[in-house]
Amino acid sequence: GPAARMRAGTHSRRGRHRPRAFRHRKRRNEALTWKDVKLAALQKMFSADGGTLVEDETTKDYLAGMPQAANEALALLCTSNRYLRKSVLLEKPQGPARFAMKDEAEDFWAFGTPEVYRLENGMPRRTSAFSTVAGRDIIFPGRQAGRYEVFYNAWPPALGEKTLDTYELPLAPDVAVLLPLYMASQLYKDDDNSIATIYRNEFEVARGELTPMAGGVTAGEWTAKDGWC
């Protein structure tokens, strides 16, 4: 049967040779592209040899389901483990001002650890002269006008059938490499649920070991440190 053939290391259910490893390697700290992620997922499902991404009868169903599976993985990773940290510049007028973050940044999800800087002569100076409302608005009570950089946790970008293979995922490499594990765990259930379960377990263990990125500004002997959510 298919499982026996895979255990023997010969052919998979799809009629392809089982690859020994993800052969299309990226340099350390180099961003992964959508093609890299899809190829790695296919290799885990024994449907790709080497570094060539082929769409044929053996891969088309897998490829069609990849955007949704990848979006699920991104949502899990970027809202629970390694948040996608971004910032937006706000031009505050004279007098107290209130900004709705969704109006200023479409991908706003949450403030996370409060991190706001007033830009003075192009240099960021951390400020606490603000407050947040209901986790979605930010208020500056002071009268002085100014420019502020507000950091926030963002929703990951949605991947779809029109996403280019050359698109670089806006994730740290140690996060991006987990996507193929989750994708394979979802797409390979009908082929071999035991292998799919192994991949899901590996994904959960790996994402549980992700550490937060450091935030804040370091300058000279003065240091402001904040762990990014």
Side-chain angles (χ1 to χ4, degrees), residues 120-139:
E120 300 178 5
N121 297 320
M123 298 298 293
R125 292 185 177 277
R126 190 156 192 166
T127 179
S128 59
F130 69 92
S131 60
T132 61
V133 179
R136 61 176 183 265
D137 293 0
I138 186 167
I139 294 176

Side-chain angles (χ1 to χ4, degrees), residues 142-194:
R143 298 198 57 80
Q144 185 179 5
R147 198 178 194 199
Y148 293 83
E149 184 173 16
V150 179
F151 282 81
Y152 63 93
N153 297 336
W155 279 109
L159 300 169
E161 61 179 15
K162 294 184 179 180
T163 301
L164 298 177
D165 283 349
T166 55
Y167 174 71
E168 292 187 354
L169 297 174
L171 305 171
D174 61 335
V175 179
V177 295
L178 301 186
L179 264 64
L181 274 174
Y182 182 89
M183 292 160 65
S185 77
Q186 298 303 299
L187 299 174
Y188 208 58
K189 288 179 179 178
D190 291 340
D191 296 85
D192 192 317
N193 190 54
S194 62

Side-chain angles (χ1 to χ4, degrees), residues 1 10 74 96 109 112 115 128 131 137 212-213 222:
T10 55
L74 286 169
W109 172 58
E115 195 172 358
S128 59
S131 60
D137 293 0
M213 299 288 284
W222 175 80

Side-chain angles (χ1 to χ4, degrees), residues 59-134:
T59 63
K60 67 177 185 178
D61 290 342
Y62 290 148
L63 291 169
M66 283 187 182
Q68 177 60 33
N71 288 332
E72 291 174 7
L74 286 169
L76 286 171
L77 291 166
C78 295
T79 63
S80 301
N81 302 96
R82 182 74 63 78
Y83 297 144
L84 187 58
R85 197 70 164 162
K86 292 187 178 182
S87 68
V88 63
L89 295 177
L90 301 180
E91 297 286 349
K92 177 189 172 298
Q94 287 280 356
R98 178 171 180 166
F99 297 88
M101 288 297 291
K102 271 291 188 182
D103 292 339
E104 306 299 329
E106 291 183 355
D107 59 357
F108 174 80
W109 172 58
F111 283 107
T113 300
E115 195 172 358
V116 179
Y117 299 88
R118 179 180 173 85
L119 301 182
E120 300 178 5
N121 297 320
M123 298 298 293
R125 292 185 177 277
R126 190 156 192 166
T127 179
S128 59
F130 69 92
S131 60
T132 61
V133 179

